[in-house]
mmCIF file of all heavy atoms in Angstrom:
data_model
loop_
_atom_site.group_PDB
_atom_site.id
_atom_site.type_symbol
_atom_site.label_atom_id
_atom_site.label_comp_id
_atom_site.label_asym_id
_atom_site.label_seq_id
_atom_site.Cartn_x
_atom_site.Cartn_y
_atom_site.Cartn_z
ATOM 1 N N ILE A 1 -86.597 79.899 18.468
ATOM 2 C CA ILE A 1 -87.125 79.601 17.132
ATOM 3 C C ILE A 1 -87.971 78.335 17.223
ATOM 4 O O ILE A 1 -87.531 77.326 17.793
ATOM 5 C CB ILE A 1 -85.999 79.393 16.101
ATOM 6 C CG1 ILE A 1 -85.254 80.708 15.837
ATOM 7 C CG2 ILE A 1 -86.565 78.838 14.794
ATOM 8 C CD1 ILE A 1 -84.092 80.558 14.876
ATOM 9 N N LEU A 2 -89.176 78.393 16.686
ATOM 10 C CA LEU A 2 -90.016 77.205 16.509
ATOM 11 C C LEU A 2 -90.068 76.927 15.016
ATOM 12 O O LEU A 2 -90.563 77.755 14.242
ATOM 13 C CB LEU A 2 -91.427 77.442 17.056
ATOM 14 C CG LEU A 2 -92.431 76.308 16.853
ATOM 15 C CD1 LEU A 2 -91.985 75.036 17.564
ATOM 16 C CD2 LEU A 2 -93.822 76.719 17.343
ATOM 17 N N ALA A 3 -89.532 75.791 14.605
ATOM 18 C CA ALA A 3 -89.384 75.500 13.175
ATOM 19 C C ALA A 3 -90.038 74.176 12.809
ATOM 20 O O ALA A 3 -90.011 73.216 13.588
ATOM 21 C CB ALA A 3 -87.911 75.469 12.786
ATOM 22 N N GLU A 4 -90.598 74.166 11.610
ATOM 23 C CA GLU A 4 -91.108 72.929 11.018
ATOM 24 C C GLU A 4 -90.061 72.430 10.023
ATOM 25 O O GLU A 4 -89.651 73.165 9.135
ATOM 26 C CB GLU A 4 -92.425 73.189 10.294
ATOM 27 C CG GLU A 4 -92.987 71.957 9.592
ATOM 28 C CD GLU A 4 -94.157 72.295 8.675
ATOM 29 O OE1 GLU A 4 -93.906 72.927 7.619
ATOM 30 O OE2 GLU A 4 -95.294 71.951 9.013
ATOM 31 N N VAL A 5 -89.631 71.185 10.208
ATOM 32 C CA VAL A 5 -88.577 70.616 9.366
ATOM 33 C C VAL A 5 -89.138 69.403 8.630
ATOM 34 O O VAL A 5 -89.407 68.365 9.250
ATOM 35 C CB VAL A 5 -87.354 70.197 10.205
ATOM 36 C CG1 VAL A 5 -86.233 69.691 9.299
ATOM 37 C CG2 VAL A 5 -86.864 71.363 11.058
ATOM 38 N N PRO A 6 -89.332 69.503 7.324
ATOM 39 C CA PRO A 6 -89.836 68.349 6.567
ATOM 40 C C PRO A 6 -88.744 67.300 6.363
ATOM 41 O O PRO A 6 -87.551 67.597 6.456
ATOM 42 C CB PRO A 6 -90.267 68.967 5.239
ATOM 43 C CG PRO A 6 -89.410 70.179 5.090
ATOM 44 C CD PRO A 6 -89.151 70.693 6.478
ATOM 45 N N GLN A 7 -89.161 66.095 6.102
ATOM 46 C CA GLN A 7 -88.203 65.053 5.773
ATOM 47 C C GLN A 7 -87.575 65.331 4.410
ATOM 48 O O GLN A 7 -88.186 65.933 3.532
ATOM 49 C CB GLN A 7 -88.891 63.683 5.741
ATOM 50 C CG GLN A 7 -89.277 63.142 7.105
ATOM 51 C CD GLN A 7 -88.073 62.631 7.891
ATOM 52 O OE1 GLN A 7 -86.952 62.588 7.387
ATOM 53 N NE2 GLN A 7 -88.301 62.232 9.133
ATOM 54 N N ARG A 8 -86.350 64.895 4.247
ATOM 55 C CA ARG A 8 -85.681 65.063 2.953
ATOM 56 C C ARG A 8 -86.427 64.277 1.889
ATOM 57 O O ARG A 8 -86.787 63.108 2.096
ATOM 58 C CB ARG A 8 -84.235 64.577 3.058
ATOM 59 C CG ARG A 8 -83.516 64.530 1.714
ATOM 60 C CD ARG A 8 -82.063 64.194 1.873
ATOM 61 N NE ARG A 8 -81.440 63.917 0.580
ATOM 62 C CZ ARG A 8 -80.136 64.025 0.333
ATOM 63 N NH1 ARG A 8 -79.324 64.388 1.315
ATOM 64 N NH2 ARG A 8 -79.647 63.745 -0.852
ATOM 65 N N PRO A 9 -86.657 64.881 0.722
ATOM 66 C CA PRO A 9 -87.351 64.159 -0.355
ATOM 67 C C PRO A 9 -86.516 62.983 -0.866
ATOM 68 O O PRO A 9 -85.295 62.915 -0.657
ATOM 69 C CB PRO A 9 -87.515 65.228 -1.450
ATOM 70 C CG PRO A 9 -87.281 66.542 -0.774
ATOM 71 C CD PRO A 9 -86.349 66.264 0.358
ATOM 72 N N ASP A 10 -87.170 62.061 -1.544
ATOM 73 C CA ASP A 10 -86.456 60.979 -2.205
ATOM 74 C C ASP A 10 -85.524 61.555 -3.269
ATOM 75 O O ASP A 10 -85.770 62.641 -3.814
ATOM 76 C CB ASP A 10 -87.435 60.007 -2.859
ATOM 77 C CG ASP A 10 -88.284 59.279 -1.819
ATOM 78 O OD1 ASP A 10 -87.800 59.118 -0.675
ATOM 79 O OD2 ASP A 10 -89.419 58.891 -2.159
ATOM 80 N N ASP A 11 -84.483 60.817 -3.574
ATOM 81 C CA ASP A 11 -83.504 61.297 -4.557
ATOM 82 C C ASP A 11 -84.155 61.626 -5.888
ATOM 83 O O ASP A 11 -83.737 62.558 -6.591
ATOM 84 C CB ASP A 11 -82.411 60.247 -4.757
ATOM 85 C CG ASP A 11 -81.510 60.120 -3.536
ATOM 86 O OD1 ASP A 11 -81.567 61.022 -2.663
ATOM 87 O OD2 ASP A 11 -80.756 59.124 -3.448
ATOM 88 N N SER A 12 -85.190 60.868 -6.248
ATOM 89 C CA SER A 12 -85.862 61.106 -7.532
ATOM 90 C C SER A 12 -86.622 62.430 -7.547
ATOM 91 O O SER A 12 -86.936 62.956 -8.614
ATOM 92 C CB SER A 12 -86.827 59.958 -7.830
ATOM 93 O OG SER A 12 -87.812 59.849 -6.805
ATOM 94 N N GLU A 13 -86.910 62.975 -6.357
ATOM 95 C CA GLU A 13 -87.665 64.221 -6.267
ATOM 96 C C GLU A 13 -86.770 65.439 -6.058
ATOM 97 O O GLU A 13 -87.255 66.577 -6.022
ATOM 98 C CB GLU A 13 -88.668 64.132 -5.115
ATOM 99 C CG GLU A 13 -89.700 63.017 -5.292
ATOM 100 C CD GLU A 13 -90.607 62.881 -4.092
ATOM 101 O OE1 GLU A 13 -90.389 63.604 -3.096
ATOM 102 O OE2 GLU A 13 -91.530 62.043 -4.132
ATOM 103 N N LEU A 14 -85.472 65.230 -5.913
ATOM 104 C CA LEU A 14 -84.561 66.349 -5.742
ATOM 105 C C LEU A 14 -84.430 67.137 -7.040
ATOM 106 O O LEU A 14 -84.529 66.563 -8.137
ATOM 107 C CB LEU A 14 -83.179 65.850 -5.300
ATOM 108 C CG LEU A 14 -83.091 65.206 -3.918
ATOM 109 C CD1 LEU A 14 -81.693 64.629 -3.683
ATOM 110 C CD2 LEU A 14 -83.434 66.216 -2.828
ATOM 111 N N PRO A 15 -84.206 68.449 -6.962
ATOM 112 C CA PRO A 15 -84.072 69.245 -8.197
ATOM 113 C C PRO A 15 -82.830 68.854 -8.984
ATOM 114 O O PRO A 15 -81.835 68.377 -8.418
ATOM 115 C CB PRO A 15 -83.977 70.683 -7.669
ATOM 116 C CG PRO A 15 -83.512 70.562 -6.259
ATOM 117 C CD PRO A 15 -84.104 69.286 -5.748
ATOM 118 N N ASP A 16 -82.888 69.052 -10.304
ATOM 119 C CA ASP A 16 -81.718 68.787 -11.138
ATOM 120 C C ASP A 16 -80.696 69.902 -10.962
ATOM 121 O O ASP A 16 -80.864 70.800 -10.121
ATOM 122 C CB ASP A 16 -82.138 68.637 -12.603
ATOM 123 C CG ASP A 16 -82.856 69.884 -13.128
ATOM 124 O OD1 ASP A 16 -82.820 70.939 -12.455
ATOM 125 O OD2 ASP A 16 -83.461 69.802 -14.212
ATOM 126 N N ASP A 17 -79.636 69.873 -11.739
ATOM 127 C CA ASP A 17 -78.568 70.857 -11.591
ATOM 128 C C ASP A 17 -79.091 72.280 -11.760
ATOM 129 O O ASP A 17 -78.778 73.173 -10.964
ATOM 130 C CB ASP A 17 -77.464 70.598 -12.618
ATOM 131 C CG ASP A 17 -76.693 69.318 -12.323
ATOM 132 O OD1 ASP A 17 -76.989 68.667 -11.298
ATOM 133 O OD2 ASP A 17 -75.789 68.971 -13.106
ATOM 134 N N ALA A 18 -79.896 72.490 -12.795
ATOM 135 C CA ALA A 18 -80.427 73.830 -13.050
ATOM 136 C C ALA A 18 -81.335 74.285 -11.914
ATOM 137 O O ALA A 18 -81.314 75.459 -11.521
ATOM 138 C CB ALA A 18 -81.187 73.853 -14.383
ATOM 139 N N GLY A 19 -82.135 73.364 -11.371
ATOM 140 C CA GLY A 19 -83.018 73.716 -10.258
ATOM 141 C C GLY A 19 -82.252 74.070 -9.006
ATOM 142 O O GLY A 19 -82.612 75.011 -8.282
ATOM 143 N N LEU A 20 -81.174 73.326 -8.733
ATOM 144 C CA LEU A 20 -80.349 73.623 -7.561
ATOM 145 C C LEU A 20 -79.670 74.981 -7.706
ATOM 146 O O LEU A 20 -79.650 75.780 -6.756
ATOM 147 C CB LEU A 20 -79.304 72.521 -7.368
ATOM 148 C CG LEU A 20 -78.293 72.732 -6.230
ATOM 149 C CD1 LEU A 20 -79.012 72.860 -4.889
ATOM 150 C CD2 LEU A 20 -77.283 71.582 -6.187
ATOM 151 N N VAL A 21 -79.138 75.251 -8.888
ATOM 152 C CA VAL A 21 -78.480 76.539 -9.135
ATOM 153 C C VAL A 21 -79.487 77.685 -8.989
ATOM 154 O O VAL A 21 -79.179 78.715 -8.380
ATOM 155 C CB VAL A 21 -77.830 76.563 -10.532
ATOM 156 C CG1 VAL A 21 -77.383 77.979 -10.891
ATOM 157 C CG2 VAL A 21 -76.651 75.592 -10.593
ATOM 158 N N ALA A 22 -80.682 77.498 -9.514
ATOM 159 C CA ALA A 22 -81.707 78.545 -9.403
ATOM 160 C C ALA A 22 -82.086 78.794 -7.950
ATOM 161 O O ALA A 22 -82.300 79.942 -7.536
ATOM 162 C CB ALA A 22 -82.937 78.150 -10.219
ATOM 163 N N HIS A 23 -82.173 77.718 -7.172
ATOM 164 C CA HIS A 23 -82.507 77.866 -5.742
ATOM 165 C C HIS A 23 -81.414 78.624 -5.005
ATOM 166 O O HIS A 23 -81.702 79.535 -4.206
ATOM 167 C CB HIS A 23 -82.705 76.490 -5.125
ATOM 168 C CG HIS A 23 -83.007 76.515 -3.659
ATOM 169 N ND1 HIS A 23 -84.171 77.050 -3.138
ATOM 170 C CD2 HIS A 23 -82.281 76.097 -2.580
ATOM 171 C CE1 HIS A 23 -84.162 76.956 -1.823
ATOM 172 N NE2 HIS A 23 -83.017 76.379 -1.456
ATOM 173 N N VAL A 24 -80.166 78.272 -5.258
ATOM 174 C CA VAL A 24 -79.046 78.961 -4.613
ATOM 175 C C VAL A 24 -79.010 80.424 -5.033
ATOM 176 O O VAL A 24 -78.767 81.316 -4.212
ATOM 177 C CB VAL A 24 -77.713 78.261 -4.949
ATOM 178 C CG1 VAL A 24 -76.524 79.076 -4.448
ATOM 179 C CG2 VAL A 24 -77.687 76.861 -4.348
ATOM 180 N N ARG A 25 -79.286 80.690 -6.300
ATOM 181 C CA ARG A 25 -79.284 82.079 -6.775
ATOM 182 C C ARG A 25 -80.372 82.900 -6.086
ATOM 183 O O ARG A 25 -80.151 84.059 -5.723
ATOM 184 C CB ARG A 25 -79.464 82.124 -8.289
ATOM 185 C CG ARG A 25 -79.533 83.546 -8.858
ATOM 186 C CD ARG A 25 -79.510 83.579 -10.372
ATOM 187 N NE ARG A 25 -78.163 83.365 -10.887
ATOM 188 C CZ ARG A 25 -77.752 82.291 -11.532
ATOM 189 N NH1 ARG A 25 -78.620 81.292 -11.749
ATOM 190 N NH2 ARG A 25 -76.517 82.168 -11.970
ATOM 191 N N SER A 26 -81.544 82.320 -5.897
ATOM 192 C CA SER A 26 -82.643 83.059 -5.266
ATOM 193 C C SER A 26 -82.365 83.366 -3.802
ATOM 194 O O SER A 26 -82.927 84.312 -3.249
ATOM 195 C CB SER A 26 -83.945 82.265 -5.391
ATOM 196 O OG SER A 26 -83.910 81.088 -4.577
ATOM 197 N N CYS A 27 -81.469 82.571 -3.183
ATOM 198 C CA CYS A 27 -81.178 82.767 -1.758
ATOM 199 C C CYS A 27 -79.883 83.532 -1.528
ATOM 200 O O CYS A 27 -79.840 84.463 -0.716
ATOM 201 C CB CYS A 27 -81.098 81.415 -1.043
ATOM 202 S SG CYS A 27 -82.614 80.451 -1.076
ATOM 203 N N LEU A 28 -78.824 83.146 -2.229
ATOM 204 C CA LEU A 28 -77.493 83.680 -1.954
ATOM 205 C C LEU A 28 -76.978 84.627 -3.024
ATOM 206 O O LEU A 28 -75.898 85.204 -2.858
ATOM 207 C CB LEU A 28 -76.495 82.523 -1.771
ATOM 208 C CG LEU A 28 -76.826 81.522 -0.655
ATOM 209 C CD1 LEU A 28 -75.745 80.456 -0.570
ATOM 210 C CD2 LEU A 28 -76.972 82.231 0.684
ATOM 211 N N GLY A 29 -77.707 84.768 -4.122
ATOM 212 C CA GLY A 29 -77.285 85.709 -5.145
ATOM 213 C C GLY A 29 -76.462 85.062 -6.247
ATOM 214 O O GLY A 29 -76.204 83.849 -6.254
ATOM 215 N N ASP A 30 -76.021 85.903 -7.180
ATOM 216 C CA ASP A 30 -75.339 85.410 -8.376
ATOM 217 C C ASP A 30 -73.969 84.819 -8.091
ATOM 218 O O ASP A 30 -73.522 83.896 -8.782
ATOM 219 C CB ASP A 30 -75.195 86.541 -9.400
ATOM 220 C CG ASP A 30 -76.533 86.926 -10.014
ATOM 221 O OD1 ASP A 30 -77.434 86.058 -10.055
ATOM 222 O OD2 ASP A 30 -76.688 88.083 -10.447
ATOM 223 N N GLY A 31 -73.245 85.355 -7.087
ATOM 224 C CA GLY A 31 -71.887 84.888 -6.839
ATOM 225 C C GLY A 31 -71.819 83.405 -6.540
ATOM 226 O O GLY A 31 -71.130 82.646 -7.240
ATOM 227 N N ALA A 32 -72.539 82.968 -5.506
ATOM 228 C CA ALA A 32 -72.519 81.558 -5.119
ATOM 229 C C ALA A 32 -73.137 80.681 -6.197
ATOM 230 O O ALA A 32 -72.650 79.571 -6.464
ATOM 231 C CB ALA A 32 -73.255 81.371 -3.795
ATOM 232 N N ALA A 33 -74.202 81.181 -6.837
ATOM 233 C CA ALA A 33 -74.880 80.377 -7.866
ATOM 234 C C ALA A 33 -74.001 80.192 -9.096
ATOM 235 O O ALA A 33 -73.942 79.095 -9.667
ATOM 236 C CB ALA A 33 -76.200 81.045 -8.250
ATOM 237 N N THR A 34 -73.309 81.253 -9.505
ATOM 238 C CA THR A 34 -72.446 81.159 -10.686
ATOM 239 C C THR A 34 -71.290 80.198 -10.442
ATOM 240 O O THR A 34 -70.932 79.396 -11.314
ATOM 241 C CB THR A 34 -71.901 82.554 -11.051
ATOM 242 O OG1 THR A 34 -72.996 83.426 -11.321
ATOM 243 C CG2 THR A 34 -71.006 82.482 -12.274
ATOM 244 N N GLU A 35 -70.725 80.247 -9.253
ATOM 245 C CA GLU A 35 -69.634 79.318 -8.927
ATOM 246 C C GLU A 35 -70.120 77.875 -8.930
ATOM 247 O O GLU A 35 -69.450 76.979 -9.465
ATOM 248 C CB GLU A 35 -69.048 79.677 -7.563
ATOM 249 C CG GLU A 35 -67.889 78.791 -7.145
ATOM 250 C CD GLU A 35 -67.310 79.167 -5.792
ATOM 251 O OE1 GLU A 35 -67.745 80.191 -5.225
ATOM 252 O OE2 GLU A 35 -66.423 78.433 -5.306
ATOM 253 N N LEU A 36 -71.295 77.634 -8.334
ATOM 254 C CA LEU A 36 -71.859 76.283 -8.319
ATOM 255 C C LEU A 36 -72.163 75.813 -9.734
ATOM 256 O O LEU A 36 -71.863 74.670 -10.104
ATOM 257 C CB LEU A 36 -73.134 76.265 -7.468
ATOM 258 C CG LEU A 36 -73.945 74.972 -7.476
ATOM 259 C CD1 LEU A 36 -73.127 73.809 -6.927
ATOM 260 C CD2 LEU A 36 -75.234 75.141 -6.671
ATOM 261 N N GLU A 37 -72.743 76.688 -10.547
ATOM 262 C CA GLU A 37 -73.082 76.333 -11.921
ATOM 263 C C GLU A 37 -71.831 75.981 -12.720
ATOM 264 O O GLU A 37 -71.819 75.016 -13.497
ATOM 265 C CB GLU A 37 -73.821 77.499 -12.577
ATOM 266 C CG GLU A 37 -74.340 77.211 -13.968
ATOM 267 C CD GLU A 37 -75.140 78.372 -14.517
ATOM 268 O OE1 GLU A 37 -74.850 79.531 -14.134
ATOM 269 O OE2 GLU A 37 -76.053 78.135 -15.339
ATOM 270 N N TRP A 38 -70.761 76.766 -12.530
ATOM 271 C CA TRP A 38 -69.520 76.518 -13.256
ATOM 272 C C TRP A 38 -68.913 75.175 -12.852
ATOM 273 O O TRP A 38 -68.463 74.404 -13.709
ATOM 274 C CB TRP A 38 -68.538 77.652 -12.962
ATOM 275 C CG TRP A 38 -67.212 77.486 -13.667
ATOM 276 C CD1 TRP A 38 -66.907 77.809 -14.945
ATOM 277 C CD2 TRP A 38 -66.020 76.914 -13.095
ATOM 278 N NE1 TRP A 38 -65.584 77.483 -15.235
ATOM 279 C CE2 TRP A 38 -65.027 76.935 -14.114
ATOM 280 C CE3 TRP A 38 -65.702 76.404 -11.840
ATOM 281 C CZ2 TRP A 38 -63.733 76.449 -13.895
ATOM 282 C CZ3 TRP A 38 -64.411 75.916 -11.620
ATOM 283 C CH2 TRP A 38 -63.444 75.947 -12.643
ATOM 284 N N GLU A 39 -68.898 74.875 -11.559
ATOM 285 C CA GLU A 39 -68.318 73.609 -11.096
ATOM 286 C C GLU A 39 -69.112 72.421 -11.606
ATOM 287 O O GLU A 39 -68.535 71.422 -12.064
ATOM 288 C CB GLU A 39 -68.267 73.592 -9.575
ATOM 289 C CG GLU A 39 -67.217 74.496 -8.961
ATOM 290 C CD GLU A 39 -67.078 74.274 -7.475
ATOM 291 O OE1 GLU A 39 -67.817 74.935 -6.712
ATOM 292 O OE2 GLU A 39 -66.252 73.438 -7.067
ATOM 293 N N LEU A 40 -70.436 72.498 -11.527
ATOM 294 C CA LEU A 40 -71.260 71.392 -12.029
ATOM 295 C C LEU A 40 -71.074 71.189 -13.522
ATOM 296 O O LEU A 40 -70.962 70.053 -13.999
ATOM 297 C CB LEU A 40 -72.735 71.669 -11.708
ATOM 298 C CG LEU A 40 -73.171 71.499 -10.249
ATOM 299 C CD1 LEU A 40 -74.597 71.998 -10.056
ATOM 300 C CD2 LEU A 40 -73.059 70.046 -9.806
ATOM 301 N N SER A 41 -71.035 72.294 -14.261
ATOM 302 C CA SER A 41 -70.853 72.217 -15.711
ATOM 303 C C SER A 41 -69.500 71.604 -16.051
ATOM 304 O O SER A 41 -69.386 70.786 -16.988
ATOM 305 C CB SER A 41 -70.985 73.610 -16.327
ATOM 306 O OG SER A 41 -70.744 73.572 -17.716
ATOM 307 N N ARG A 42 -68.458 71.976 -15.303
ATOM 308 C CA ARG A 42 -67.115 71.451 -15.573
ATOM 309 C C ARG A 42 -67.066 69.945 -15.320
ATOM 310 O O ARG A 42 -66.518 69.189 -16.136
ATOM 311 C CB ARG A 42 -66.101 72.174 -14.682
ATOM 312 C CG ARG A 42 -64.659 71.699 -14.854
ATOM 313 C CD ARG A 42 -63.695 72.682 -14.206
ATOM 314 N NE ARG A 42 -63.921 72.748 -12.776
ATOM 315 C CZ ARG A 42 -63.295 71.982 -11.871
ATOM 316 N NH1 ARG A 42 -62.431 71.054 -12.281
ATOM 317 N NH2 ARG A 42 -63.526 72.131 -10.587
ATOM 318 N N TYR A 43 -67.664 69.518 -14.192
ATOM 319 C CA TYR A 43 -67.661 68.078 -13.906
ATOM 320 C C TYR A 43 -68.457 67.302 -14.952
ATOM 321 O O TYR A 43 -68.032 66.227 -15.409
ATOM 322 C CB TYR A 43 -68.251 67.829 -12.518
ATOM 323 C CG TYR A 43 -67.361 68.260 -11.368
ATOM 324 C CD1 TYR A 43 -67.902 68.875 -10.240
ATOM 325 C CD2 TYR A 43 -65.991 68.032 -11.404
ATOM 326 C CE1 TYR A 43 -67.100 69.267 -9.175
ATOM 327 C CE2 TYR A 43 -65.171 68.429 -10.346
ATOM 328 C CZ TYR A 43 -65.732 69.047 -9.241
ATOM 329 O OH TYR A 43 -64.929 69.442 -8.196
ATOM 330 N N ARG A 44 -69.609 67.830 -15.346
ATOM 331 C CA ARG A 44 -70.448 67.130 -16.331
ATOM 332 C C ARG A 44 -69.747 67.042 -17.676
ATOM 333 O O ARG A 44 -69.808 66.007 -18.360
ATOM 334 C CB ARG A 44 -71.787 67.850 -16.483
ATOM 335 C CG ARG A 44 -72.647 67.928 -15.229
ATOM 336 C CD ARG A 44 -73.081 66.577 -14.719
ATOM 337 N NE ARG A 44 -74.053 66.709 -13.617
ATOM 338 C CZ ARG A 44 -74.417 65.711 -12.831
ATOM 339 N NH1 ARG A 44 -73.911 64.495 -12.997
ATOM 340 N NH2 ARG A 44 -75.300 65.912 -11.862
ATOM 341 N N SER A 45 -69.079 68.120 -18.078
ATOM 342 C CA SER A 45 -68.403 68.129 -19.381
ATOM 343 C C SER A 45 -67.222 67.160 -19.404
ATOM 344 O O SER A 45 -66.840 66.654 -20.472
ATOM 345 C CB SER A 45 -67.922 69.543 -19.715
ATOM 346 O OG SER A 45 -66.941 69.978 -18.782
ATOM 347 N N GLN A 46 -66.636 66.905 -18.235
ATOM 348 C CA GLN A 46 -65.521 65.956 -18.140
ATOM 349 C C GLN A 46 -66.001 64.520 -17.980
ATOM 350 O O GLN A 46 -65.186 63.599 -17.938
ATOM 351 C CB GLN A 46 -64.631 66.324 -16.945
ATOM 352 C CG GLN A 46 -63.921 67.661 -17.075
ATOM 353 C CD GLN A 46 -63.197 68.051 -15.795
ATOM 354 O OE1 GLN A 46 -63.379 67.411 -14.751
ATOM 355 N NE2 GLN A 46 -62.387 69.107 -15.866
ATOM 356 N N GLY A 47 -67.322 64.353 -17.856
ATOM 357 C CA GLY A 47 -67.855 63.017 -17.621
ATOM 358 C C GLY A 47 -67.650 62.548 -16.196
ATOM 359 O O GLY A 47 -67.792 61.355 -15.889
#
């Protein structure tokens, strides 16, 4: 494999929760994305 690996973006450029969930859904499907979305939502709602 010959791969191009970009540097990790700055924290300010990383996707928000919804963007991360959408990315996971587009790659791994609804199962992994729904679980991630539920966990993030639970933590956020608890502060």
Side-chain angles (χ1 to χ4, degrees):
I1 292 177
L2 176 62
E4 177 190 71
V5 184
Q7 288 286 355
R8 172 174 170 157
D10 294 333
D11 290 346
S12 60
E13 299 175 356
L14 294 174
D16 58 13
D17 291 358
L20 176 59
V21 169
H23 178 66
V24 172
R25 178 172 283 110
S26 69
C27 298
L28 302 181
D30 290 334
T34 300
E35 181 180 354
L36 173 61
E37 185 176 29
W38 180 82
E39 287 189 272
L40 286 172
S41 177
R42 179 166 63 91
Y43 288 140
R44 298 297 188 193
S45 64
Q46 295 173 350

